[in-house]
Amino acid sequence: MKQKKIVLWIMVCMVMFISGTIAFSQEPAPIPPSEPEEAEVPPSVDPDVPSNVTAKDTPNDDGTSITVTWDIPPEDSGVVGYKILRNTNGGDFEEIGEQLTPLDTYDKREKINKYKDSKIVKDTSHAYIVRAIGANTTAESQQTAAVMAKAQWFHTGEIPLFISMLIFCAAIVGNVYYAKGGKDIFVRRIPGLEAVDEAIGRATEMGRSILYSTGLGGVSDVATIASMTILGQVARRTADYETPLRVPCKDPIVMNVLREMVKSSYLDEGRPDIYNEDNIFFITESQFAYAAGVDGIMLREKPAAIFLQGTFYAESLILAETGNSIGAIQIAGTDSEHQLPFFIAACDYTLIGEELYAASTYLSREPMLLGSLRGQDLGKLLIFVTMIAGVVLELIGINWITTLLQRVS
């Protein structure tokens, strides 16, 4: 009896399942198409004639542009674009440039429409007409008075920048005189530079040479110039200790400059007799051939101290690892931020960023360099304080510092 009821329930469930499947699988009956609705044609709106159209010489430029301005039309004016027409010396008007949208001409700062014509003919007068374009019609303004562009001697928009530069220069000059007066100027401790005497002393005690590389930069690179000044100070110490100084170069111009600098350092120390220009030599201008040549010198001569100062690229790790493998004390420095991790990992000391630029001041302690360094730091501090003040004032709704910085930039 129970089996019959189970079979019966199974059959009922199967019938219900099949019926439901057929019902849901049927496509819905098509809806008869209705009569198409006629599209609503917007009424034709004639554009307003541009008002207060003026043309004037663009201020603070080199006399190669004229600026055309006109009032912003009302929202329901029907204007969808503008065309600018120009004549030269009273001739026929011709369209210039492409059609402009209202967004192209809108100046947020002055709340006016503006177009800058940068394709004028010098020493000629130009008049303009602004044509407003609507959906079906156009409207033209009256022509402006003829204008001739002239170059300005002084950019009035750069006055804030000029004042900032005067303040910055005054800070440097004032601190130079402060340092020349015998005042003590504090310079924070830089471990890599304090280790210079240690590295040179170690090479002297071991009777081995010192290897100095200025990197791959040219004579005009800032990092190369900084490296040259450091080399001058290192050469003074090697002249005192009579320690061999080897300088492989990638650039022949850099090589000749370095020879003169090292020769002057030996002469200043009263040891021109031990100067040997063959120790400052050219290898090659090829990046990895230069790296291979310097690595060969390291492996053959095994210098006790290695200086890697200047501009470096992918060869930085190759040089630093080779120097590390021979047990030399290595002092590296570069402004190439992508190479700093390799120098930090493989060298004993690393000058990071502007420490490279301050190295010559740190080593020589010359008053002029110390004053210049302190003046630059005060200038940076002023910029930092201005930025913080601008952020705070912007948060409370005062934006004159932001506007000033935008004009300067």
Side-chain angles (χ1 to χ4, degrees):
M1 189 67 180
K2 290 183 179 181
Q3 292 180 353
K4 291 182 180 181
K5 289 183 179 181
I6 293 173
V7 173
L8 180 62
W9 276 108
I10 292 175
M11 293 179 64
V12 171
C13 292
M14 290 180 64
V15 171
M16 292 178 64
F17 175 76
I18 294 172
S19 300
T21 303
I22 294 174
F24 284 104
S25 64
Q26 291 179 350
E27 295 182 359
I31 301 174
S34 59
E35 293 294 330
E37 297 181 0
E38 295 183 359
E40 184 179 354
V41 179
S44 177
V45 180
D46 293 335
D48 291 347
V49 176
S51 59
N52 293 331
V53 181
T54 59
K56 61 181 180 180
D57 179 24
T58 303
N60 301 320
D61 74 341
D62 57 352
T64 58
S65 66
I66 294 175
T67 300
V68 183
T69 60
W70 64 97
D71 290 342
I72 299 173
E75 294 183 359
D76 57 349
S77 63
V79 177
V80 297
Y82 294 102
K83 289 289 290 186
I84 310 297
L85 289 78
R86 179 188 67 192
N87 75 355
T88 302
N89 289 335
D92 295 333
F93 280 90
E94 298 179 353
E95 294 183 356
I96 57 174
E98 301 177 351
Q99 180 174 323
L100 305 170
T101 66
L103 290 177
D104 294 333
T105 59
Y106 178 63
D107 189 319
K108 295 181 179 180
R109 180 179 298 176
E110 300 183 15
K111 308 296 183 184
I112 199 172
N113 281 329
K114 181 184 292 187
Y115 173 77
K116 184 177 180 180
D117 182 12
S118 301
K119 297 181 180 180
I120 64 171
V121 181
K122 286 189 174 182
D123 302 325
T124 56
S125 59
H126 299 279
Y128 295 85
I129 292 176
V130 178
R131 177 183 294 163
I133 302 174
N136 301 309
T137 58
T138 61
E140 292 184 354
S141 68
Q142 295 290 328
Q143 76 176 58
T144 65
V147 179
M148 182 182 294
K150 297 180 180 179
Q152 283 75 42
W153 287 95
F154 187 77
H155 195 315
T156 57
E158 302 296 339
I159 291 178
L161 180 60
F162 178 69
I163 295 175
S164 301
M165 291 302 299
L166 288 179
I167 296 174
F168 186 73
C169 293
I172 293 178
V173 173
N175 280 280
V176 168
Y177 279 102
Y178 180 83
K180 284 187 174 182
K183 306 292 184 179
D184 184 31
I185 293 181
F186 171 77
V187 179
R188 71 174 178 84
R189 177 177 174 270
I190 303 177
L193 297 178
E194 290 188 351
V196 169
D197 288 333
E198 175 190 348
I200 297 175
R202 176 180 176 182
T204 304
E205 292 176 358
M206 298 177 68
R208 287 154 62 177
S209 63
I210 295 173
L211 182 69
Y212 193 105
S213 172
T214 59
L216 305 185
V219 72
S220 60
D221 291 345
V222 178
T224 304
I225 296 173
S227 179
M228 291 177 178
T229 57
I230 298 173
L231 175 60
Q233 298 300 322
V234 172
R236 288 175 179 270
R237 289 162 169 76
T238 57
D240 292 336
Y241 298 148
E242 300 184 12
T243 308
L245 175 63
R246 304 269 284 166
V247 186
C249 301
K250 174 185 176 291
D251 190 311
I253 299 178
V254 172
M255 177 193 70
N256 286 286
V257 174
L258 293 181
R259 282 181 173 178
E260 291 300 320
M261 291 192 66
V262 173
K263 182 179 180 180
S264 298
S265 297
Y266 276 64
L267 184 62
D268 292 341
E269 295 300 312
R271 300 305 306 271
D273 53 306
I274 63 174
Y275 168 72
N276 183 4
E277 70 173 15
D278 292 336
N279 285 337
I280 305 171
F281 51 92
F282 172 75
I283 294 183
T284 178
E285 293 184 348
S286 176
Q287 176 184 8
F288 289 104
Y290 172 79
V294 175
D295 285 348
I297 295 172
M298 292 181 185
L299 295 174
R300 289 191 301 271
E301 299 184 5
K302 291 184 170 50
I306 298 175
F307 291 86
L308 303 173
Q309 307 286 332
T311 301
F312 293 88
Y313 298 99
E315 77 289 343
S316 60
L317 184 60
I318 299 174
L319 298 174
E321 280 293 339
T322 305
N324 183 273
S325 66
I326 63 174
I329 181 171
Q330 296 190 100
I331 302 176
T334 183
D335 59 357
S336 304
E337 64 273 8
H338 299 297
Q339 311 308 320
L340 284 173
F342 305 129
F343 281 151
I344 293 173
C347 298
D348 298 279
Y349 302 97
T350 303
L351 306 181
I352 300 175
E354 290 192 352
E355 290 181 347
L356 175 66
Y357 307 146
S360 58
T361 304
Y362 192 95
L363 293 174
S364 65
R365 310 296 296 186
E366 291 184 9
M368 181 170 291
L369 295 178
L370 284 171
S372 175
L373 181 64
R374 188 186 185 197
Q376 293 176 42
D377 288 343
L378 289 177
K380 295 171 189 175
L381 179 61
L382 178 61
I383 294 173
F384 180 74
V385 171
T386 303
M387 293 173 60
I388 297 297
V391 172
V392 173
L393 292 177
E394 192 73 25
L395 292 175
I396 61 178
I398 303 174
N399 57 5
W400 67 269
I401 290 184
T402 305
T403 304
L404 176 64
L405 294 177
Q406 288 175 346
R407 291 178 179 176
V408 171
S409 60

